[in-house]
Amino acid sequence: MTLEQFFHEHPKAALAFSGGVDSAYLLWAGLQAGAEVWPYFVKTPFQPRFELEDAYRLCEQLDVDLIVLDYDILTDETVVSNPPDRCYHCKRWMFSKLKRYAASEGFSLLLDGTNASDDGGDRPGMRALTELEVRSPLRECGLTKNCVRALSRQAGLFTWDKPSYACLATRIPAGRRIDREDLERVEQGETTLAALGLRDFRLRLTWGGCRLQVLESQFPLVMKRRADILSALETNFSEVTLDLRPRVPID
């Protein structure tokens, strides 16, 4: 099945839109196929500001309105307690709310941007999507992350080379309670590091401070900007360490 065939069979759908490469291309493909696809961005303390900015930018490029749903996921005690399967509870919480809201606006079908490279075997969040009957056209049509990037580039979408991004909650070790202050510290730290030139990295909380994970190609930049990095992070983190094992990109 192709995406065009999928949207011809399902000409009306709500889309969980993150502003990332996958959901951006899925939105473009649906609109190109003539389908009525409405993008919904679920805004929580887990999403950094730049993701919403990218979502608005992409929707402006495609001349479509973005619907933003503002929810405080920190009111859910199970998610906040941060168990090993937190992603399952988080996805279940967010997509349940999104599905109800979309249904109230006349959408019986909800889509997400999971692609064929995503391994459902080690992603608890995908179990929640299956339980809620959320469809993943990219995955169903066999489109891998590399395919989506190539097709996005051909389509002229600025998201084509955007690094994959996991929510801010993934920066906090399982078992450590999630609070707004920690999320804000991580977001502020990562925003500052991005401004220093780092790309596709993670700033993870440790019990004593934070640990920076970067691609192997970015180690020279980290060493060159070491003083700037420390200056940017020491205000919010008592200890700053560098993981000597290079970060492996998601895609």
Side-chain angles (χ1 to χ4, degrees):
M1 177 185 290
T2 66
L3 280 181
E4 186 175 13
Q5 291 170 333
F6 179 92
F7 282 112
H8 283 170
E9 293 181 12
H10 307 284
K12 182 176 180 178
L15 170 63
F17 187 67
S18 67
V21 57
D22 297 316
S23 59
Y25 180 71
L26 187 57
L27 176 59
W28 178 87
L31 296 175
Q32 286 293 114
E36 181 183 358
V37 183
W38 286 20
Y40 291 83
F41 185 99
V42 180
K43 183 177 180 291
T44 79
F46 288 178
Q47 279 69 48
R49 184 174 293 109
F50 80 83
E51 289 280 58
L52 180 56
E53 292 171 352
D54 283 353
Y56 272 121
R57 179 183 169 191
L58 194 284
C59 286
E60 183 177 356
Q61 179 182 348
L62 299 182
D63 194 26
V64 63
D65 291 331
L66 177 67
I67 301 96
V68 179
L69 305 179
D70 199 338
Y71 296 127
D72 188 0
I73 198 168
L74 297 182
T75 60
D76 186 277
E77 180 58 33
T78 301
V79 173
V80 168
S81 67
N82 200 14
D85 63 344
R86 182 209 68 254
C87 190
Y88 166 79
H89 300 287
C90 180
K91 290 278 191 184
R92 180 91 194 185
W93 188 91
M94 288 198 295
F95 275 82
S96 293
K97 290 183 177 297
L98 174 52
K99 188 171 185 177
R100 285 195 296 270
Y101 190 93
S104 73
E105 295 197 321
F107 292 94
S108 59
L109 178 63
L110 177 59
L111 311 178
D112 93 307
T114 302
N115 64 65
S117 297
D118 292 323
D119 181 6
D122 63 357
R123 297 201 176 189
M126 291 177 66
R127 176 163 56 95
L129 300 184
T130 299
E131 292 174 357
L132 292 171
E133 299 181 321
V134 177
R135 300 286 295 274
S136 304
L138 298 177
R139 184 180 176 90
E140 293 178 29
C141 294
L143 294 175
T144 64
K145 191 73 165 188
N146 287 335
C147 288
V148 174
R149 289 194 183 281
L151 292 169
S152 296
R153 189 175 190 179
Q154 292 175 19
L157 303 180
F158 75 87
T159 50
W160 77 269
D161 66 342
K162 183 177 178 179
S164 296
Y165 190 85
C167 81
L168 293 170
T170 63
R171 313 300 196 266
I172 301 175
R176 176 169 172 170
R177 190 174 180 83
I178 299 173
D179 63 40
R180 198 177 306 273
E181 181 182 357
D182 280 343
L183 295 171
E184 290 174 350
R185 286 195 300 148
V186 170
E187 180 178 3
Q188 181 180 341
E190 291 195 345
T191 299
T192 302
L193 294 177
L196 292 175
L198 270 68
R199 179 178 171 84
D200 201 0
F201 63 93
R202 297 289 185 266
L203 187 64
R204 302 193 185 280
L205 291 189
T206 63
W207 293 105
C210 67
R211 181 178 78 256
L212 176 59
Q213 295 178 318
V214 300
L215 304 176
E216 188 168 9
S217 62
Q218 296 240 293
F219 275 108
L221 176 61
V222 171
M223 292 298 99
K224 180 180 179 180
R225 305 300 300 268
R226 184 180 67 86
D228 295 326
I229 291 172
L230 285 175
S231 176
L233 298 180
E234 282 181 331
T235 300
N236 288 325
F237 301 99
S238 59
E239 180 181 88
V240 179
T241 60
L242 173 65
D243 194 333
L244 295 180
R245 293 165 297 188
R247 168 174 154 71
V248 179
I250 294 177
D251 49 27

